[in-house]
Amino acid sequence: DVVMTQTPLSLSVTPGQSASISCKSSQSLLHSDGKTYFYWYLQKAGQPPQLLIYGISNRFSGVPDRFSGSGSGTDFTLKISRVEAEDVGVYYCMQSIQLPRTFGQGTKLEIK
Amino acid sequence: QVQLQQWGAGLLKPSETLSLTCAVYGGSFSGYYWSWVRQTPGKGLEWIGEINHSGTINYNPSLKSRVTISVDTSKNQFSLKVWSVTAADTAVYYCTVTDFFYYTMDVWGQGTTVTVSS
């Protein structure tokens, strides 16, 4: 299985400041078709995960432009600019280049 | 807008069969990936399996011997069965549908908490 490793596991951010989360995969997520099969999800308390970013840097419908993704190959970053209270939750990365799809262990974002 | 509603028994004894159903409202099965994912405090999010856009069913090898995913297109439902459950199968189970081609849709069910205890 492709192992997804996130850092940090938790972070506390002052509203208005930025936050970054890293995710590293145990093998490249770049497919021969030129696409990178990498995603970011956010799970708010009491809710199922929701898709934020697909294909490294594409925001899903309705996701604010405060969220941005970057990276390539095996190293990826989610940046949240101007963190707001509604951004609180657990962020997960996921890969789908190889089955089984696998998730990172999650990064808990709190507001100071 | 597609909505998913899932149901099934929430309390099982070891060796029993977990059975969950997910009803699809406002859409059809064509062209999307219909998945089951579970979440435990210890292992986090775990992909169980899926029915892909072409109707092929794929399973997580770690569970494959005990899992069956099926679809009933006449009822617009898909189901999950996990045989011979143990305490390790205690989790919140989610059904999901995602458009992994054009990313027009990513919908999750509300989740079903399943506890396995004697």
Side-chain angles (χ1 to χ4, degrees):
Chain A
D1 296 1
V2 178
V3 177
M4 307 294 285
T5 304
Q6 291 181 230
T7 55
L9 297 184
S10 67
L11 70 165
S12 183
V13 181
T14 300
Q17 299 300 304
S18 65
S20 287
I21 301 170
S22 171
C23 181
K24 297 184 187 296
S25 57
S26 61
Q27 65 186 68
S28 176
L29 304 185
L30 174 63
H31 194 275
S32 57
D33 63 7
K35 298 178 182 178
T36 299
Y37 290 86
F38 178 80
Y39 312 83
W40 287 105
Y41 286 83
L42 165 61
Q43 185 174 30
K44 298 182 179 181
Q47 298 182 19
Q50 58 190 79
L51 181 61
L52 292 177
I53 302 281
Y54 61 91
I56 304 179
S57 60
N58 301 288
R59 283 185 298 277
F60 187 62
S61 175
V63 174
D65 59 8
R66 301 183 290 102
F67 292 87
S68 62
S70 63
S72 64
T74 61
D75 291 353
F76 305 93
T77 300
L78 175 69
K79 182 176 180 180
I80 312 167
S81 304
R82 307 179 304 280
V83 169
E84 298 182 4
E86 66 177 23
D87 301 334
V88 164
V90 182
Y91 291 79
Y92 295 94
C93 56
M94 188 195 80
Q95 66 78 28
S96 67
I97 195 170
Q98 179 184 109
L99 295 183
R101 303 180 196 278
T102 49
F103 294 87
Q105 65 270 60
T107 296
K108 186 174 185 178
L109 174 66
E110 298 177 327
I111 297 294
K112 286 183 180 177
Chain B
Q1 174 69 10
V2 171
Q3 293 185 340
L4 303 178
Q5 184 171 3
Q6 56 182 104
W7 66 87
L11 180 60
L12 297 171
K13 290 182 167 52
S15 80
E16 292 185 333
T17 299
L18 181 158
S19 183
L20 299 175
T21 299
C22 185
V24 181
Y25 298 99
S28 69
F29 281 91
S30 298
Y32 305 125
Y33 286 68
W34 305 85
S35 307
W36 289 95
V37 174
R38 70 182 184 181
Q39 184 170 32
T40 63
K43 293 187 69 176
L45 291 166
E46 181 178 29
W47 179 82
I48 299 170
E50 69 186 16
I51 303 166
N52 72 12
H53 65 291
S54 61
T56 301
I57 301 177
N58 297 304
Y59 297 108
N60 190 323
S62 68
L63 297 166
K64 186 175 183 177
S65 63
R66 298 192 297 123
V67 170
T68 299
I69 293 174
S70 60
V71 60
D72 186 338
T73 54
S74 67
K75 294 183 179 179
N76 250 23
Q77 295 174 357
F78 65 114
S79 300
L80 170 72
K81 289 188 186 296
V82 181
W83 314 92
S84 303
V85 298
T86 70
D89 295 309
T90 295
V92 178
Y93 287 76
Y94 295 101
C95 57
T96 87
V97 56
T98 303
D99 175 4
F100 278 116
F101 289 98
Y102 304 106
Y103 297 96
T104 59
M105 179 164 56
D106 180 70
V107 179
W108 292 60
Q110 77 275 22
T112 301
T113 299
V114 176
T115 301
V116 180
S117 174
S118 56

